[in-house]
Amino acid sequence: MAISDRRISESTIHRLSIYYRALQQLEKENYETISSKELARREKLTPAQVRKDLSFFGSFGTRGLGYPVVELKGKIAGILGIDRVWDVALVGVGNIGSALVSYKEFQKQGFLIKMVFDNDQRKIGSNHKGIIVSDIRNIVSELRNSSIEIVIIAVPSSMAQLVADDVVQAGIKAILNLAPINLKVPDDVVVRNENMAMELEYLSFSLSNHQRPK
Amino acid sequence: MAISDRRISESTIHRLSIYYRALQQLEKENYETISSKELARREKLTPAQVRKDLSFFGSFGTRGLGYPVVELKGKIAGILGIDRVWDVALVGVGNIGSALVSYKEFQKQGFLIKMVFDNDQRKIGSNHKGIIVSDIRNIVSELRNSSIEIVIIAVPSSMAQLVADDVVQAGIKAILNLAPINLKVPDDVVVRNENMAMELEYLSFSLSNHQRPK
DNA sequence: TAAGAATTGTGAATCGTTTCACAACATTCT
DNA sequence: AGAATGTTGTGAAACGATTCACAATTCTTA
Ligand SMILES: NC(=O)c1ccc[n+]([C@@H]2O[C@H](COP(=O)([O-])OP(=O)(O)OC[C@H]3O[C@@H](n4cnc5c(N)ncnc54)[C@H](O)[C@@H]3O)[C@@H](O)[C@H]2O)c1
Ligand SMILES: NC(=O)c1ccc[n+]([C@@H]2O[C@H](COP(=O)([O-])OP(=O)(O)OC[C@H]3O[C@@H](n4cnc5c(N)ncnc54)[C@H](O)[C@@H]3O)[C@@H](O)[C@H]2O)c1
């Protein structure tokens, strides 16, 4: 069954990311094959879950043996679309934005921050790790003339919707939003939120109710 | 039905955080009451979902009228455990850790970063926004003698498990982990992961498969 | 006070995800 | 070669979350 036949759940996609990291580690440890049982044990999942997730995309294993580590890693990279380079823009070079620009891991993973925007005159034109900060006022045309497909928004929450509107207008279809607000975008634009306050609230809930939520 | 009777799902807890923010906004806009219909419309949820989520914790609304904004906000704060102050420690004052220490919103929300740990001699003893950086080697005893209940881990991934082991040994039951690895902790410790790489991979998947996953 | 409109709270129905269980197949051992 | 062991891939069952649908209740208006 082809991918487009099925709607893949958010959980499955997240677990693919987990499998991918586990396989990177297994490759380092020189494993040639890995069983769903062992992979599940390492990542605290169930073997059936692992097999079911992978089966949505094909038959990658060998009965009696397990999955070939390097090959499966490649297949998952293909499924996730990380077997290529993605050009990324960052909006807002403040506390968190600066940390992101300096962060080497994204680059290693194939997510390249190629453009940076800000509205602070003192920052515009300055050099951040080899990237010149652009004026936010030019964002629509600059993104349109670029190869950028993913935008990270790291501006104060009061500004995030305005920035998102521009980003959408520039034709971008994928946004990673770090501001703690719910962006309103058209249906064909995917937004993922990274909301640390929500995670802290989750911890607070768990401690208060001494419940481990699922 | 008491909270302890039911296992509340992760999604419900996340939505409570969403309702809480929406109610803050509604309060600013001087709404006295809000219906599940309008709240759902604003947050792109369904009215039934809103009512069901709230009904797990009690009957907060009035038939025919809706929910009293300020009162409901208070109830949700109580449920999430954010009607009080939580003392938090941060481990790793690097790029991302520094951003967190400077971030005022956590404080406003009642999450107070009270202690900071690092293993870099040049950082230990230095002053970060009024907090003296402690030596990681003393973390177990220092946490034990403190009022800290939540720890944020912002060290390189190769170090995160070691730090987590110490944190667990110090009796901490809630961890926010920013390193892109799966921490192994006992069952009674809650870990939440903030994994930006995984979110980027999610965007990459969505763009590659032009699918909006749920 | 009665009728009409709005909206909650919640069982029941529906939908989606996870787990179970086993046939099919590969490998190893004797 | 045949038996024993290990493991996948996948329908079916079990479970869990969301949506439906409606009785119960409140408010408004006349
Ligand atoms: N700092 C943290 O630890 C942290 C943690 C979680 C979430 N966040 C969120 O991340 C976002 C950024 O936080 P921060 O601490 O880096 O803030 P910051 O104030 O340090 O940085 C914001 C940057 O955005 C720029 N900016 C403002 N308006 C802009 C606009 N319209 N267009 C382009 N650039 C604009 C500012 O000039 C500044 O450089 C906020 O929404 C915040 O809530 C931050
Ligand atoms: N920088 C980013 O934008 C970013 C984004 C996503 C995730 N992360 C993750 O956050 C973590 C921190 O990233 P960073 O960019 O801030 O790294 P960094 O190297 O700038 O900072 C790490 C800090 O941890 C300290 N440290 C190292 N080992 C330690 C130990 N054993 N005990 C205590 N302190 C120790 C270092 O001295 C340093 O101050 C990493 O796991 C990274 O993958 C970072």
Side-chain angles (χ1 to χ4, degrees):
Chain A
M1 102 224 9
I3 293 177
S4 52
D5 290 359
R6 284 194 174 277
R7 195 175 182 72
I8 303 298
S9 79
E10 175 166 329
S11 333
T12 294
I13 301 168
H14 268 132
R15 282 191 300 267
L16 289 180
S17 289
I18 292 171
Y19 303 148
Y20 184 76
R21 275 178 236 317
L23 290 163
Q24 284 183 318
Q25 183 56 32
L26 287 162
E27 188 178 7
K28 277 194 203 139
E29 295 174 20
N30 293 311
Y31 278 67
E32 299 235 315
T33 58
I34 180 82
S35 67
S36 58
K37 192 177 166 194
E38 171 63 7
L39 186 50
R41 193 194 56 75
R42 288 185 167 228
E43 300 302 324
K44 289 231 184 121
L45 299 165
T46 67
Q49 180 89 84
V50 171
R51 296 201 299 276
K52 182 67 87 176
D53 283 338
L54 296 175
S55 78
F56 290 140
F57 302 97
S59 298
F60 307 128
T62 310
R63 287 161 200 244
L65 238 194
Y67 299 89
V69 170
V70 175
E71 198 183 309
L72 181 60
K73 185 179 137 233
K75 296 279 190 191
I76 293 180
I79 294 163
L80 288 175
I82 55 176
D83 54 350
R84 50 161 286 195
V85 157
W86 292 92
D87 289 344
V88 177
L90 169 73
V91 188
V93 220
N95 285 308
I96 206 104
S98 306
L100 292 174
V101 177
S102 323
Y103 189 51
K104 290 288 174 315
E105 293 302 317
F106 289 155
Q107 206 162 325
K108 284 193 200 149
Q109 274 255 308
F111 295 100
L112 305 185
I113 297 182
K114 282 278 189 71
M115 298 185 87
V116 170
F117 295 90
D118 207 293
N119 75 340
D120 185 336
Q121 288 304 324
R122 289 162 301 178
K123 290 178 181 170
I124 295 167
S126 73
N127 192 315
H128 263 260
K129 300 273 160 182
I131 305 164
I132 306 294
V133 177
S134 299
D135 192 326
I136 185 71
R137 284 173 296 183
N138 305 326
I139 191 170
V140 178
S141 61
E142 292 206 25
L143 286 181
R144 274 197 188 287
N145 293 321
S146 74
S147 55
I148 282 164
E149 292 178 83
I150 297 174
V151 172
I152 304 178
I153 297 183
V155 300
S157 27
S158 56
M159 292 290 141
Q161 185 62 58
L162 286 172
V163 169
D165 292 344
D166 281 352
V167 166
V168 167
Q169 211 202 309
I172 298 293
K173 301 292 183 205
I175 296 174
L176 177 56
N177 173 37
L178 305 185
I181 65 154
N182 219 339
L183 297 177
K184 306 282 191 292
V185 300
D187 275 355
D188 65 338
V189 177
V190 197
V191 177
R192 299 295 300 174
N193 296 295
E194 194 84 28
N195 192 331
M196 230 178 277
M198 258 169 74
E199 298 303 336
L200 286 175
E201 287 167 11
Y202 200 104
L203 292 175
S204 159
F205 174 88
S206 299
L207 291 174
S208 305
N209 302 279
H210 34 86
Q211 190 203 272
R212 305 285 132 267
K214 269 156 289 180
Chain B
M1 103 225 8
I3 293 174
S4 52
D5 289 359
R6 285 195 174 279
R7 196 174 180 75
I8 304 299
S9 79
E10 175 166 330
S11 334
T12 293
I13 301 169
H14 267 135
R15 283 192 299 268
L16 288 180
S17 288
I18 292 171
Y19 303 148
Y20 184 76
R21 276 179 235 317
L23 290 163
Q24 283 184 318
Q25 183 57 32
L26 287 162
E27 189 178 5
K28 277 194 202 137
E29 295 173 20
N30 292 312
Y31 279 68
E32 299 234 317
T33 59
I34 181 81
S35 67
S36 58
K37 192 177 165 195
E38 172 63 8
L39 186 50
R41 193 195 55 75
R42 290 186 165 226
E43 301 301 324
K44 291 230 183 122
L45 298 165
T46 66
Q49 181 87 82
V50 172
R51 296 200 299 276
K52 181 68 87 178
D53 283 338
L54 296 175
S55 78
F56 291 140
F57 302 97
S59 298
F60 307 130
T62 308
R63 284 160 202 245
L65 237 195
Y67 299 89
V69 170
V70 175
E71 197 183 309
L72 181 59
K73 187 179 137 233
K75 296 280 189 189
I76 294 180
I79 294 163
L80 289 175
I82 55 176
D83 54 349
R84 49 161 286 194
V85 158
W86 292 93
D87 289 345
V88 176
L90 169 73
V91 187
V93 220
N95 284 310
I96 206 101
S98 306
L100 292 175
V101 177
S102 325
Y103 189 52
K104 288 289 172 318
E105 293 301 316
F106 289 157
Q107 205 163 325
K108 283 192 201 149
Q109 274 255 310
F111 294 101
L112 305 184
I113 298 183
K114 282 278 189 72
M115 297 185 88
V116 170
F117 296 90
D118 207 293
N119 75 341
D120 184 336
Q121 289 304 322
R122 288 163 301 179
K123 290 177 181 170
I124 295 168
S126 74
N127 191 315
H128 262 261
K129 301 274 160 179
I131 305 165
I132 306 294
V133 178
S134 299
D135 190 328
I136 185 70
R137 285 174 293 184
N138 305 325
I139 191 171
V140 178
S141 60
E142 291 206 27
L143 284 182
R144 275 196 189 284
N145 292 320
S146 75
S147 53
I148 282 163
E149 292 178 80
I150 297 174
V151 171
I152 303 178
I153 297 183
V155 301
S157 27
S158 57
M159 292 290 141
Q161 185 62 60
L162 287 172
V163 169
D165 292 345
D166 281 351
V167 166
V168 167
Q169 211 202 311
I172 298 293
K173 301 293 183 206
I175 295 174
L176 178 56
N177 173 37
L178 305 185
I181 65 154
N182 217 339
L183 297 177
K184 306 283 191 291
V185 299
D187 274 354
D188 65 339
V189 177
V190 196
V191 176
R192 299 296 300 176
N193 296 295
E194 194 85 31
N195 192 331
M196 231 179 277
M198 259 169 74
E199 299 303 335
L200 286 174
E201 287 167 10
Y202 200 104
L203 292 175
S204 160
F205 174 88
S206 299
L207 291 173
S208 304
N209 301 279
H210 37 86
Q211 188 204 271
R212 305 284 132 269
K214 269 155 289 178

